[in-house]
Amino acid sequence: MSQQPLISDREAYFLERLDRGDRIEADDWMPEEYRRQLVRLISIHAVSEIMGALPEKEWVPRAPTLYRKLAITAKVQDEVGHGQLLIRVAEDLMRPWGKTRDDIMEDLFAGRLKYHNVFHMATPTWADAGIIGWLVDGAAVITQGMSLSCSYAPYARALQRIVEEEGFHIQHGESICLALAEGTPMQRAMLQDALTRWWPALLMFFGPPEKSELSTNQLRNLRYRIRSKTNEELRQRFFSKYVHRIRSLGLQIPDRTLAQDAVTKEWHYQQPDWDLFRQIVNNHGPRSQERLGLRRTTYEEGAWVRRMAAQASSV
Amino acid sequence: MRNLDSEVYEVFAQSDSLSPHVHVFNVQASSPEMALVLAEENFFRRAEFVSLWVVRRDHIHHLGFGDRDGFKKTAKPYRTTDDYKYLRDKWRYYREHPMNPDADRTSTQGGHEHDFTRD
């Protein structure tokens, strides 16, 4: 009786390569599960960049000065550019499945592909645009900074370009928030309201805490060196980086229980509503349907442009 | 007439997997395989690489060779961090002098001058 080996020789060699610190390229052999995890991760990241342009785009026509209008336009343009970069990385991975960017967009519209919780939220004031740049992009860079060490080289190379531009986005957001913090009582109140509104979404951004056990997906992604830190480790890093800065502006974080343990340095905090999180990422957030609708309409109305561009290449 | 461009291969190499492929030089060769051998022998007797590409020169498309000045961009400070250098000093100042949430800004800011012109 022959016994089925747990992993094939090829897979054992693949894992050995990862342990040596080798990075994997698109045309290297890889386990199907590795490919599936990467496609899932990178597609979510790609559509989140594209959907992430929409909340801030709402403030392009209403930016308070010409300078701010130019800067926020540049940022929105960068985010869409990041989406394009990541879609290319995903497309190369999906090639053996015969899938393309059209499938990514169809999956997004059909609700099969999720985008980050933060981009389902409303942006009623200019301070929301500031908080997105300062803290949402700040949170994103903590996650993406970890992913720079991802074992899949094309994703890591894309992230190097993305993280560099995010550095500009964060300072753009800091500049808006500092100006409001130093402004009139009304401007300060607007900034405080935006922070209060965004705080739970910022904590949700890193995903549910692991408690004592890791999910199968997470274990696999750690083993594949796709990620190197848990959701909770990343959230803790966010607290350490931003809590004192937020407080130095005299802003109140809407969580009276938030405190750092003097010995372990661990932050204790009020858990956001994780049921609400699941509703939001399943497209039942405050602005989910409007933004998906806008993206769908734009996609349909732009069909002729894609068709013309495809023909131009064969002239 | 020999098409010289079809025999010239531009050589690109990557020094580690996180770096881009960088143009090294070119070789003259009768086939891509030969170009790879020559590239390795000519340019990598000492230096290491993780990936080596050769591309036939006539497969490379150029942008605006006639007008290199056209590549120069106009200044776009709103796209860079150049205008945000002042942020570091501000964060340091507020770390040492945290804002009071209830204080009247205009009175506590006295003597501490900053560029508020953006908004």
Side-chain angles (χ1 to χ4, degrees):
Chain A
M1 196 182 81
S2 73
Q3 208 178 355
Q4 191 73 21
L6 284 174
I7 52 170
S8 66
D9 283 354
R10 240 180 354 179
E11 186 162 2
Y13 175 68
F14 176 84
L15 293 173
E16 211 177 285
R17 282 190 66 192
L18 295 184
D19 292 342
R20 273 206 303 271
D22 266 16
R23 286 180 204 259
I24 308 303
E25 295 288 345
D27 47 6
D28 289 349
W29 182 86
M30 62 184 82
E32 197 56 16
E33 187 55 28
Y34 181 76
R35 188 184 299 278
R36 227 183 345 256
Q37 293 291 344
L38 283 172
V39 168
R40 183 172 161 274
L41 172 77
I42 298 167
S43 307
I44 289 174
H45 188 175
V47 296
S48 295
E49 296 278 1
I50 290 169
M51 297 306 289
L54 301 183
E56 284 176 288
K57 159 200 163 297
E58 293 169 14
W59 280 96
V60 169
R62 298 182 282 169
T65 65
L66 178 59
Y67 186 94
R68 294 294 196 201
K69 189 196 286 282
L70 287 168
I72 198 167
T73 306
K75 178 180 190 301
V76 166
Q77 200 179 12
D78 285 348
E79 305 294 10
V80 177
H82 297 170
Q84 297 291 337
L85 237 83
L86 293 163
I87 280 178
R88 278 299 311 123
V89 177
E91 267 185 324
D92 282 347
L93 278 165
M94 295 189 299
R95 185 169 254 162
W97 303 343
K99 289 192 166 184
T100 65
R101 62 184 62 203
D102 297 343
D103 298 284
I104 292 181
M105 297 316 289
E106 288 305 326
D107 283 352
L108 172 70
F109 298 146
R112 289 186 294 267
L113 184 59
K114 298 174 174 44
Y115 61 100
H116 286 316
N117 69 297
V118 281
F119 305 123
H120 295 256
M121 307 308 285
T123 42
T125 72
W126 175 242
D128 294 81
I131 293 283
I132 290 178
W134 180 26
L135 297 176
V136 172
D137 286 10
V141 162
I142 288 177
T143 304
Q144 290 167 10
M146 162 191 77
S147 298
L148 285 172
S149 66
C150 175
S151 59
Y152 187 60
Y155 185 47
R157 287 195 296 266
L159 284 172
Q160 283 185 327
R161 303 184 73 94
I162 291 171
V163 167
E164 193 182 314
E165 288 184 344
E166 293 294 345
F168 157 68
H169 300 171
I170 291 171
Q171 292 188 32
H172 157 82
E174 286 178 12
S175 176
I176 293 172
C177 290
L178 274 164
L180 292 174
E182 291 169 341
T184 63
M186 205 192 246
Q187 286 175 311
R188 284 187 58 79
M190 182 166 78
L191 182 61
Q192 176 65 61
D193 286 349
L195 175 69
T196 305
R197 208 165 22 248
W198 282 88
W199 186 254
L202 285 163
L203 300 194
M204 289 174 185
F205 179 82
F206 298 98
E210 288 79 7
K211 304 205 178 75
S212 54
E213 59 189 271
L214 297 173
S215 73
T216 326
N217 256 0
Q218 276 182 318
L219 281 172
R220 196 156 22 213
N221 286 345
L222 288 165
R223 180 66 193 94
Y224 282 150
R225 296 179 188 262
I226 291 172
R227 63 183 302 168
S228 53
K229 293 193 169 57
T230 63
N231 294 345
E232 192 53 34
E233 284 172 325
L234 294 169
R235 191 169 18 246
Q236 290 288 326
R237 184 167 288 200
F238 176 80
F239 289 134
S240 297
K241 193 163 172 189
Y242 288 107
V243 167
H244 71 278
R245 277 205 169 180
I246 293 169
R247 288 180 172 159
S248 79
L249 300 186
L251 296 169
Q252 305 280 349
I253 294 172
D255 178 357
R256 292 189 185 284
T257 65
L258 182 70
Q260 190 176 25
D261 188 295
V263 182
T264 63
K265 300 288 172 207
E266 196 192 333
W267 290 87
H268 299 285
Y269 60 99
Q270 176 71 47
Q271 290 294 328
D273 181 347
W274 291 108
D275 288 331
L276 182 63
F277 169 75
R278 276 175 276 271
Q279 282 176 36
I280 291 169
V281 293
N282 281 304
N283 296 333
H284 298 296
R287 303 284 292 163
S288 311
Q289 290 307 322
E290 288 88 343
R291 297 218 175 103
L292 273 176
L294 176 63
R295 193 75 271 280
R296 193 183 290 117
T297 307
T298 313
Y299 189 69
E300 284 163 7
E301 288 179 350
W304 70 273
V305 179
R306 293 194 295 280
R307 209 162 41 240
M308 297 292 282
Q311 282 166 5
S313 65
S314 61
V315 168
Chain B
M1 200 182 84
R2 275 173 57 190
N3 178 5
L4 186 62
D5 280 352
S6 71
E7 296 176 8
V8 173
Y9 290 79
E10 297 295 343
V11 178
F12 300 84
Q14 193 187 27
S15 57
D16 62 79
S17 63
L18 285 189
S19 301
H21 284 72
V22 174
H23 183 242
V24 181
F25 209 77
N26 55 60
V27 292
Q28 198 258 3
S30 56
S31 70
E33 292 74 19
M34 184 59 81
L36 281 166
V37 170
L38 291 173
E40 191 172 357
E41 287 302 318
N42 271 310
F43 310 123
F44 292 95
R45 290 190 298 274
R46 291 173 189 81
E48 291 188 352
F49 62 88
V50 295
S51 171
L52 189 61
W53 290 349
V54 291
V55 184
R56 238 172 73 172
R57 183 182 271 174
D58 61 351
H59 286 176
I60 294 176
H61 303 269
H62 305 275
L63 182 67
F65 241 153
D67 182 18
R68 287 179 187 277
D69 281 346
F71 294 143
K72 290 202 183 99
K73 307 281 189 200
T74 47
K76 289 176 180 163
Y78 57 87
R79 255 183 216 285
T80 68
T81 52
D82 293 355
D83 279 3
Y84 297 138
K85 290 202 170 76
Y86 74 97
L87 288 170
R88 216 179 52 165
D89 291 339
K90 287 218 174 199
W91 284 121
R92 186 180 304 135
Y93 179 82
Y94 289 123
R95 192 173 62 219
E96 287 154 16
H97 311 88
M99 286 191 202
N100 179 343
D102 307 315
D104 178 0
R105 278 306 104 206
T106 47
S107 59
T108 56
Q109 281 295 310
H112 184 62
E113 282 184 33
H114 282 299
D115 171 19
F116 295 141
T117 56
R118 271 179 199 78
D119 291 270

